[in-house]
Amino acid sequence: MSEIIAVMNQKGGCGKTTTVVNTATSLAVLGKSVLIVDMDPQANATTSFGIDKTKVENTAYDALIGDINIKKATIPTFIKNLFIIPSNISLSGAGMELSRRENYHIVLKETLKDVAPLFDYIFIDLPPSLGVITVNALVASDSVLIPIQSEYYALEGVADLINTIKLVEKRLRSPTPIKGILLTLYDKRTRLSKDVRNELKKYFSDSNLLFDTIIPRNIRLAEAPSYGKPCLIYDPESTGTKAYLKLAKEILKRDEKGENNNKGDN
C-alpha cells in the first residue's frame, strides 16, 4: 500500500525540495519504489535530476488539467526505483484554472489514483505558499512532512502551518496527519540552532512528531542540484547524504512500527 506524503512549509528556504529529492532517493536506494510529484512551478525537484524543464513534453500541469493521463507524465530518473512527474512554469496558472472547477480541491487526489498503487511512497513537492495547489496536495495526501529551518522566524511559522492543516482538515473533511517535523540547515556551532532545536522539543514534547534525524547545513547538499544529482549520487560520503539516509531509515522504522501496532489492534 502506497503512502502519499506532502512536503510543505509556507516559508521558503527551509530545504523543502532538498528534503523531497534526497529522502526519495534514499528510500529508492533502500529498495522502495518511489515517485516524486513536482508541484512547484519553479521545478527545482525536476532539475535536481538533470531534467531540462524547458524540454519536458508531459508535466504535472498537463495531468492536473486533464490533458493526459498521469502515467504519461511519469518518467524514470537515472536512479533505480525512483520516478518523477516533472514540472515547469506552466504550472503557475494551474491554481486559477482549478479554482473555477466544482470540487476543485479533489482534482489532484483523483489525478493520482492511477499511479498511487504502483509505488511504496509518493512525495509531493510544493511551492512555499498556501494556495489552491497546496490545498489539493493536502486533500490528496496521507500525511504531511514539514521541514523547518534552524532559525528564529521558522519557529513562529510552525503553529500557523499546523493551524492551516487543521483548517483544511475541518472545512474539507479531509484529515491529513503530520508524519513528522524535520529540523533542517542545522549548524551545531551556533547557539541559535541549538535553541531552535530545544524549543521544537518543548513544543512537540507530548507527541512523536519531531524526527530524531537532523539535517545539517552542508555545502554538498547545496551544490548537488547544480550538477543535476541528488546528494547521495553527488557525494555519497557527505554528512548531508548520511543524514538523509538516516531519515529514510527512520521513516521506514516508524512505518513498520505503525503497521505492527495496527495489526495488534485487529
Side-chain angles (χ1 to χ4, degrees):
M1 183 176 176
S2 65
E3 180 179 5
I4 302 174
I5 304 170
V7 181
M8 65 176 289
N9 193 323
Q10 79 272 31
K11 187 179 183 303
C14 63
K16 177 176 54 62
T17 300
T18 299
T19 294
V20 169
V21 168
N22 290 288
T23 307
T25 298
S26 297
L27 285 167
V29 168
L30 292 171
K32 296 299 180 180
S33 181
V34 187
L35 172 67
I36 294 173
V37 185
D38 192 347
M39 293 301 294
D40 189 340
Q42 294 183 73
N44 290 334
T46 298
T47 58
S48 291
F49 290 94
I51 300 168
D52 187 341
K53 62 184 177 182
T54 66
K55 293 181 179 178
V56 288
E57 292 183 15
N58 301 305
T59 68
Y61 170 78
D62 299 307
L64 199 61
I65 64 171
D67 279 357
I68 60 170
N69 184 282
I70 196 165
K71 288 182 180 179
K72 197 171 181 181
T74 305
I75 59 176
T77 68
F78 55 84
I79 296 164
K80 185 181 177 182
N81 302 322
L82 182 58
F83 294 74
I84 188 168
I85 296 174
S87 175
N88 59 25
I89 194 63
S90 63
L91 191 61
S92 59
M96 188 175 293
E97 290 185 52
L98 292 181
S99 64
R100 300 191 189 109
R101 296 191 192 182
E102 187 178 358
N103 295 323
Y104 71 90
H105 57 283
I106 65 169
V107 175
L108 182 58
K109 182 177 182 177
E110 293 298 314
T111 302
L112 289 173
K113 277 185 177 179
D114 284 343
V115 292
L118 305 176
F119 298 96
D120 297 311
Y121 291 96
I122 297 176
F123 288 89
I124 304 177
D125 188 32
L126 291 163
S129 64
L130 297 172
V132 173
I133 294 295
T134 300
V135 170
N136 260 264
L138 283 172
V139 173
S141 298
D142 300 304
S143 62
V144 181
L145 193 159
I146 304 173
I148 295 179
Q149 186 174 351
S150 304
E151 63 174 39
Y152 174 73
Y153 290 113
L155 285 173
E156 290 189 334
V158 177
D160 291 339
L161 184 57
I162 291 174
N163 286 336
T164 298
I165 293 169
K166 289 181 178 177
L167 186 63
V168 170
E169 179 178 321
K170 182 178 179 181
R171 290 190 177 177
L172 300 179
R173 297 177 183 177
S174 179
T176 314
I178 296 172
K179 188 172 189 67
I181 311 289
L182 178 68
L183 190 59
T184 63
L185 295 161
Y186 184 84
D187 189 341
K188 63 182 180 181
R189 298 169 300 179
T190 68
R191 181 174 178 176
L192 177 59
S193 283
K194 293 173 183 176
D195 288 346
V196 170
R197 184 186 181 193
N198 289 334
E199 285 300 311
L200 283 172
K201 281 184 174 180
K202 282 186 204 173
Y203 193 89
F204 296 109
S205 60
D206 295 331
S207 67
N208 193 34
L209 292 181
L210 189 63
F211 283 110
D212 293 331
T213 303
I214 295 172
I215 307 302
R217 187 179 291 276
N218 177 245
I219 189 63
R220 296 302 190 196
L221 283 174
E223 289 174 349
S226 64
Y227 290 87
K229 298 176 182 179
C231 199
L232 190 145
I233 305 301
Y234 176 64
D235 186 351
E237 297 302 317
S238 74
T239 57
T241 291
K242 291 175 181 177
Y244 276 110
L245 275 169
K246 183 180 177 184
L247 174 65
K249 290 174 183 177
E250 184 175 354
I251 288 172
L252 292 174
K253 188 175 181 180
R254 284 188 177 201
D255 290 349
E256 184 181 352
K257 185 177 179 182
E259 286 177 6
N260 290 336
N261 287 341
N262 289 335
K263 287 178 184 176
D265 292 338
N266 292 334

